[in-house]
Amino acid sequence: MLKTSFTLLAFIISGQALSQENKSEPNQTQQKSKEQDIERIIVTGSRIAENIDEVPASITIITQKQIAAQLKVSSEIQSLLANLVPGMAPSTGSSSNSGQTLRGRSPLVMIDGVPQSTPLRNGSLGIRTLDASVIERIEVIKGATSIYGNGAAGGIINYITKKANSDKALSGHASISSRFSAVETEDSIGQRYEAGINGEINNFDYVLNASYEENGLQRDADGDILGLKYGLSDAVMQDYFAKVGYHFDDEKSLQFTYNYYESKQDVDLIDQVGNINTGEKTQAIPVPEGQTVLGEPQGPSNHNMMLKYVDDEVFKQTQLMVDLYSQEVDNTFFYSPVLANPDAGYAGGQSLINSDKKGLRVTFNTLVDFSFDNGDSLEATFIYGIDALNDVTSQSMVDGRVWVPEMDMENLAGFLQTKLIYNNDLVIKLGIRQEDIDLTVNDYSTLKLCKSAEQCSVPVDVTGDTLNYKATTYNIGIKYNALPLFSPFVSYSQGADISDTGRLLRTATVTDISLIRTEASIIDNYELGFSSDFEQVHFEFATYFSTSELGTTNKFNATTGVYMPVRAPQEIYGYEALINYNIDDAWAVNATYSWVEGKNTEADVYLGAKQISPPKATVNVNWNPNSDISVAINYLYVGDRKRFEQVDGKYVGDQGPIDSYQVVNLSGNYNFASDWSAFIGVENLFNQDYYPTKSQGYTYGGYNIKGLGTTVNMGVNYQF
């Protein structure tokens, strides 16, 4: 049972009823305008549908068209986000998003508002939690926010799933494709199958989708097999999605959504571990005679269920939304000899994060319009409600040992967001959220882990307790839209974060949990930016600065061989720029640049690659000469970052030097019949020989894995 309660003041203000949407059949011009209007609508920023111009913050919307274009090259969402989101760190080239931060901090990943990350024990696998084919759009809100609670230190990435086509009772598609290395095709050929149907029948609507993908061996520019740590060689990914809705009338609806995603890597290979300090890469090789593959297949499995009820007029001018959701995660990690305890008979180990979330969100949205005698107008929106969440997370070993004890978090929060729009030009947002969190951990013992016979951690018996965190966070933002050539905004937002508590627990050196520095971290985020619209050009720029009194970094303990967490104040700052240029009906160019830096201000040292990425630039060129042909070129440039010196002749931790690299992708689509199209995508077109950012910055054993060499994806798609 939740132990806390809130008394919420509900703003129920009468006003004129909203006009009904014109549902007549649109012509082609109207349809294009409607699609553009839809692309300008966002729901993540304040939990209700609103125009992007009403949000005083940096936002990136990735449309269905952009997602489809990226899928022609690769189904990996990490690469999609890196190519299209300024401020998003480069892709890791693996199944893990460790090091792929958003503005130097971890984002909260959601599916239709349901949290996918496991912030209590952040395994950094939250980005790959569904197949990209079921996503209608992706909304990325940058900067710390408490709109959805714990874990959004760097912002929010919300996958909005597909909706039914209301014009037909049955429509659908099917796709088949094959992906292979153009450098060395042997055993690299994989295949992907994906299909879905959707429609509306009377008051019912539905979306059903399934995908199944088998990778072949992933090869670098030399044709060698990529290392297996968080690897994707021979991985099997499958996703099954269902959404069913019922409209009681024009105002009331009920919707049920279910998604299951699984990715497992099962290979008959082992790693030949290299060393970043000597320049020797880690690669996979066939199992030598006399050896066997240790451990179970690595990868996540993820169940999501959501029940949503909407009443657009529960009171006069007031909408009610109720979300009841559940998520179950099982993340199985790689087998590691570092997780050994020879005295107990363990030569190594393999860990598993289990997370079970159940939540309820109740949101009211009240709108009232004011008109003044001088012709001025004021539109006031009040968004208020409660969030309840129970998150039970642990990290055990596959062999039965407990590495991180079960953490049972009960979180109840009340919130109020206010939006004022004066004369359609001046937008002012103010918000407050009150968090009350109980985190219960029973008595436990830390594990004895041995990196070598001489380097072993010392087990500690820790007395458990129920820890309580209370936090009040605020946000305020102002945006001025009167001048299309210069629409500035300024904002201040806070986020309350108790993420990765499990990491603190598993390395405890004290005998009572209350003595471990598990306090919540309050992140203060300041941002200033503007957008400009010319005839064919859209430009955005933002600069930001965020602070936290209790950030978490690593420090290597040479005695035990364990990286210990260090909690210290941090500052992270940077800037981003984006330009869209629609040259004509056939040509369009999109370019971005982002730069971020950060320091541990207590020790006056730079933060490592786990948080801070090098400068990143992207250029996307799209050519659509007619309705049947489309071609896209994607260019990614990652710059240098060399902030750290060697320690005893070698780089340590996440402080490896990062050299620049660049990657070019190419994709094309041809509609050769009314319902049929063929497509091709080439990743790393020029076979750039490089290490991804994470592979250079992480000096830990086995992480220095090269990026993919030239890889081709080709297939056909049928729509009806």
Side-chain angles (χ1 to χ4, degrees), residues 4-189:
T4 57
S5 63
F6 288 92
T7 301
L8 299 176
L9 176 63
F11 292 85
I12 306 172
I13 306 173
S14 62
Q16 294 295 322
L18 297 175
S19 61
Q20 294 293 316
E21 180 182 355
N22 188 340
K23 296 184 179 180
S24 61
E25 186 71 21
N27 59 36
Q28 187 173 0
T29 302
Q30 291 173 330
Q31 182 66 33
K32 183 176 180 180
S33 176
K34 181 180 178 182
E35 290 174 355
Q36 291 173 342
D37 289 342
I38 290 173
E39 290 181 3
R40 301 292 296 171
I41 298 298
I42 185 171
V43 298
T44 306
S46 61
R47 301 160 62 123
I48 64 168
E50 60 183 343
N51 194 289
I52 195 172
D53 294 330
E54 300 171 4
V55 183
S58 290
I59 298 168
T60 298
I61 305 297
I62 301 175
T63 66
Q64 172 60 41
K65 184 178 180 180
Q66 291 174 306
I67 295 170
Q70 293 289 321
L71 273 172
K72 293 178 177 61
V73 176
S74 170
S75 63
E76 287 302 312
I77 298 180
Q78 286 179 300
S79 298
L80 182 153
L81 292 170
N83 288 336
L84 297 175
V85 180
M88 192 79 186
S91 172
T92 66
S94 67
S95 64
S96 168
N97 51 270
S98 176
Q100 192 175 19
T101 54
L102 182 60
R103 290 186 169 180
R105 299 187 188 274
S106 297
L108 178 64
V109 181
M110 303 188 299
I111 298 176
D112 291 332
V114 176
Q116 303 302 298
S117 307
T118 56
L120 289 179
R121 175 69 276 271
N122 188 358
S124 299
L125 295 175
I127 287 181
R128 299 176 76 253
T129 54
L130 82 171
D131 189 81
S133 63
V134 305
I135 303 175
E136 181 174 281
R137 56 197 271 120
I138 303 174
E139 299 178 353
V140 182
I141 311 295
K142 301 168 198 172
T145 176
S146 59
I147 291 291
Y148 291 89
N150 184 40
I156 297 170
I157 300 172
N158 193 11
Y159 302 134
I160 310 296
T161 57
K162 287 184 175 178
K163 298 179 179 61
N165 181 358
S166 59
D167 296 330
K168 292 184 179 180
L170 175 64
S171 60
H173 69 279
S175 176
I176 181 171
S177 59
S178 180
R179 196 163 184 260
F180 56 90
S181 169
V183 183
E184 174 58 68
T185 58
E186 182 182 2
D187 296 326
S188 73
I189 300 175

Side-chain angles (χ1 to χ4, degrees), residues 4-9 385-387 411-415 433-437 470-472:
T4 57
S5 63
F6 288 92
T7 301
L8 299 176
L9 176 63
I386 59 171
D387 290 345
N411 182 192
L412 189 62
F415 63 89
R433 181 182 176 97
Q434 175 65 46
E435 299 276 1
D436 197 331
I437 301 173
K470 293 182 185 294
T472 304

